[in-house]
Amino acid sequence: MNNSQLKERFEDFAWEVYVSSPGRINLIGEHTDYNQGFVLPTAIDQKIEFEFRRNGTKDTCHIYSRTYEAFASFDLNQVVPQQASWANYLLGVIDEIQKLGKKFEGFDCIIRSSLPIGAGISSSAALECGFASGINDLFGLGLEKIEIVRLSQAAENNFVGSNCGIMDQYASVMSKKGHLILLDCRSLEAEYIPADFKDCKVLLLNTKVEHNLAEGQYNKRRKECEDAVKTIQKRHPQVKALRDVNVEMLKEFKEPLSSQTFSRAAYVIQENLRVQQAAEAIKSGDLRKFGHLMYQSHHGLQHQYEVSCPELDFLVDYTRSKDFIYGARMMGGGFGGCTINLIESSRIDAFVKEVLPAYEEEFGIKGEAIVVSPSEGTQIQSR
Ligand code: GLA
């Protein structure tokens, strides 16, 4: 089918299933998920929307991305990587659903997104989870939400090649409006904490530096953490992940570990503690304390874990002299994307008018400000 035939196919599209699949923020707890530690994310009001309908064929799927004004067609019997990288997230999902032994038939799907791509707010998890949820509903496959989370993560690990943890997919699917999720990434036990930010709001500042080139660095950090665990296990066989290591224990390994691996591990251990403290601070309404922990988190990401970049550091440093900003840090995998700021609502407009021109003058890049609020996870309608 050529492009104009495909275009025609998607005119007057009567959907059977509609899915709204949100991006996420993470208040604190970066690079802790794949160390079986703790994170504090929630979904946001920016999302990817999907419309699905069965197309009456056994095995042909046509996808129309309004975001890219592009089409992709798949044969369900030949799920192999394609050139368009966005299509590979979808193929990965199909592959994982098929691996679970679930059978389904041909369908058409329209995708449109209000999520900035490569900004560290998990457009990829939103794409995977929304697509998986839609297929599940359209064909009544009976997959539980948690299975959607896991298979979407597996799609990214196995098909796209990014060794990501589970935080993004979990937050996109499982979030509750107005709440943060204190997630134990080992047991997947979740505590929903009311996101009571009093007079403050969450402001994202997008560096517009795309972080996708950093995939290699991400996988490298993950490997460094695993190497640290292997060394520590020799003396402490009960240690399964950095989650099981405390500061005292790590000190014993100053020698065998390289100073770099030692710093990486130290960061993860400290960040896990900060997540617990942050959750307590939010519960008790101590937002200043929470903000302080955000700055500490950024310091660790910049100097110990080394996943920040000059653009992120500039935006965080810019907030330090502003007492109406309680805390700021880089968010997500790093090397670009957004900073997350807890800022008094009444000061947002004036601050944005000041910080974005200063950022542009420094780097020649037009940044972007996005105010976000904790929102519901995946939502599905059928008719
Ligand atoms: C990316 C990954 C997550 C997590 C963060 C860092 O967003 O997809 O699994 O590791 O980076 O906290």
Side-chain angles (χ1 to χ4, degrees), residues 142-163:
L143 293 167
E144 303 280 335
K145 278 184 171 190
I146 194 67
E147 292 178 281
I148 301 278
V149 170
R150 286 193 193 280
L151 79 85
S152 298
Q153 182 200 11
E156 189 150 343
N157 292 168
N158 300 332
F159 219 85
V160 181
S162 159
N163 228 345

Side-chain angles (χ1 to χ4, degrees), residues 24 26 29-34 122 164-168 218 332-333:
R24 65 101 188 88
N26 185 25
E30 227 58 90
H31 290 273
T32 44
D33 61 351
Y34 55 81
S122 294
C164 68
I166 202 160
M167 166 172 75
D168 302 347
Y218 183 92

Side-chain angles (χ1 to χ4, degrees), residues 21-165:
S21 182
R24 65 101 188 88
I25 50 172
N26 185 25
L27 276 296
I28 197 163
E30 227 58 90
H31 290 273
T32 44
D33 61 351
Y34 55 81
N35 289 299
Q36 301 190 14
F38 297 89
V39 291
L40 196 62
T42 183
I44 54 175
D45 32 351
Q46 275 80 359
K47 54 190 183 274
I48 301 182
E49 293 168 286
F50 301 77
E51 291 172 12
F52 291 86
R53 70 166 181 217
R54 274 171 283 203
N55 64 17
T57 69
K58 277 259 156 288
D59 40 33
T60 309
C61 302
H62 299 291
I63 317 288
Y64 172 30
S65 162
R66 281 202 196 278
T67 315
Y68 293 116
E69 276 303 319
F71 299 94
S73 297
F74 315 140
D75 179 335
L76 291 173
N77 304 309
Q78 281 170 28
V79 180
V80 286
Q82 291 204 350
Q83 231 173 8
S85 72
W86 61 271
N88 285 330
Y89 291 91
L90 311 178
L91 282 159
V93 165
I94 291 180
D95 192 40
E96 292 300 327
I97 297 180
Q98 288 179 338
K99 279 193 208 159
L100 293 172
K102 301 283 181 188
K103 300 258 180 294
F104 51 96
E105 300 187 338
F107 62 90
D108 296 342
C109 174
I110 300 181
I111 304 177
R112 92 174 68 81
S113 175
S114 66
L115 274 179
I117 292 158
I121 47 182
S122 294
S123 53
S124 49
L127 189 58
E128 294 145 8
C129 295
F131 194 62
S133 302
I135 296 173
N136 184 40
D137 204 76
L138 188 65
F139 295 101
L141 302 183
L143 293 167
E144 303 280 335
K145 278 184 171 190
I146 194 67
E147 292 178 281
I148 301 278
V149 170
R150 286 193 193 280
L151 79 85
S152 298
Q153 182 200 11
E156 189 150 343
N157 292 168
N158 300 332
F159 219 85
V160 181
S162 159
N163 228 345
C164 68

